Amino acid sequence: VRALQQVGEMSLEQITARDFPLPGLTETLDGVLHQLRSGRGFALLHGFPTSGFELPQLERLYWGLCTQLGRGVTQNSDAGLIHYVTDGKLRPRQGTRPVGDPGPVELHIDLSDTVALYCVQQAPDDPPSVVCSSMTVYNEIVRQHPEWLPSLERGFIWDRAGEEAPGESEVSDYLVPAFSEAEGIVSCRFHPTWIRKGLARIDAALSDEEEMIFDFIRD
């Protein structure tokens, strides 16, 4: 709360880690960073405040905490820094992304290095959330089907979800690798829905082998 008072009415993009000091959480957040970079790849925090604040204050609390973990970036065409996942009045209305649509969502990688989710109010049907380690998937592919790696490293066309600039193609004009390596670090960028939609836009489809790979990754 003291950190929230310190930032006052500052806009999200103005707030930095220095503006939002959390000395009592230093050890916890260092542990979170270790898990994200070198551990299981995700962390779950309980007890973050959700009541007694207006939504703009909750946004600043959330953003302020996240500044301790990295530099915030947008990953959508309207340059929003916080995306509401809801089918209510705050549901995003730009592009064709099904954010907030009821129903299951395939496991996928978002467009930033790390993504943070903050549950302010759970949906009435209490849907489960599932986290999967893309590096575990990668290791299993290496162990069981190393012959698939060239296809995954070559990559796939992606749909731009209606967020392309005027005059741009509706799909990526390059292949997006599902797995890639730089300086000994493997990273993953995989979103089966966007890949399938991108291929459909150019009247193409996954090969039989690629369908097998996608099934293996999903399983």
Side-chain angles (χ1 to χ4, degrees), residues 39-43 105-110 115 117 129-141 179 188 190 216-219:
R40 62 173 62 92
F42 73 95
V105 178
E106 281 198 84
L107 284 168
H108 60 276
I109 300 292
D110 277 15
V115 64
L117 301 174
S129 295
V130 178
V131 177
C132 174
S133 166
S134 59
M135 294 301 100
T136 296
V137 172
Y138 176 80
N139 289 337
E140 285 303 307
I141 292 172
F179 290 101
C188 178
F190 184 73
F216 181 86
I217 292 174
R218 184 190 64 240
D219 292 342

Side-chain angles (χ1 to χ4, degrees), residues 150-167:
S151 176
L152 291 164
E153 291 169 349
R154 183 170 59 251
F156 305 91
I157 289 288
W158 275 43
D159 181 41
R160 285 191 163 133
E163 297 185 357
E164 65 276 359

Side-chain angles (χ1 to χ4, degrees), residues 48-51 53-55 58-59 62 84 117-123:
F48 199 74
T50 58
S51 60
F53 299 96
E54 299 295 327
L55 276 177
L58 290 177
E59 288 186 348
Y62 176 45
Y84 282 86
L117 301 174
Y118 172 29
C119 183
V120 176
Q121 179 178 318
Q122 182 61 294

Side-chain angles (χ1 to χ4, degrees), residues 9-63:
E9 298 298 315
M10 291 174 63
S11 60
L12 296 182
E13 62 269 19
Q14 293 176 315
I15 298 172
T16 67
R18 181 177 297 179
D19 301 316
F20 206 90
L22 298 171
L25 289 177
T26 299
E27 185 176 344
T28 297
L29 294 176
D30 284 347
V32 169
L33 280 173
H34 172 73
Q35 288 296 338
L36 295 178
R37 293 169 174 164
S38 306
R40 62 173 62 92
F42 73 95
L44 177 63
L45 298 177
H46 291 283
F48 199 74
T50 58
S51 60
F53 299 96
E54 299 295 327
L55 276 177
Q57 293 176 306
L58 290 177
E59 288 186 348
R60 289 185 178 87
L61 281 170
Y62 176 45
W63 181 265

Side-chain angles (χ1 to χ4, degrees), residues 200-213:
R201 285 189 187 277
I202 60 172
D203 295 322
L206 296 172
S207 68
D208 291 343
E209 181 182 67
E210 288 169 341
E211 288 284 5
M212 290 175 58
I213 295 172

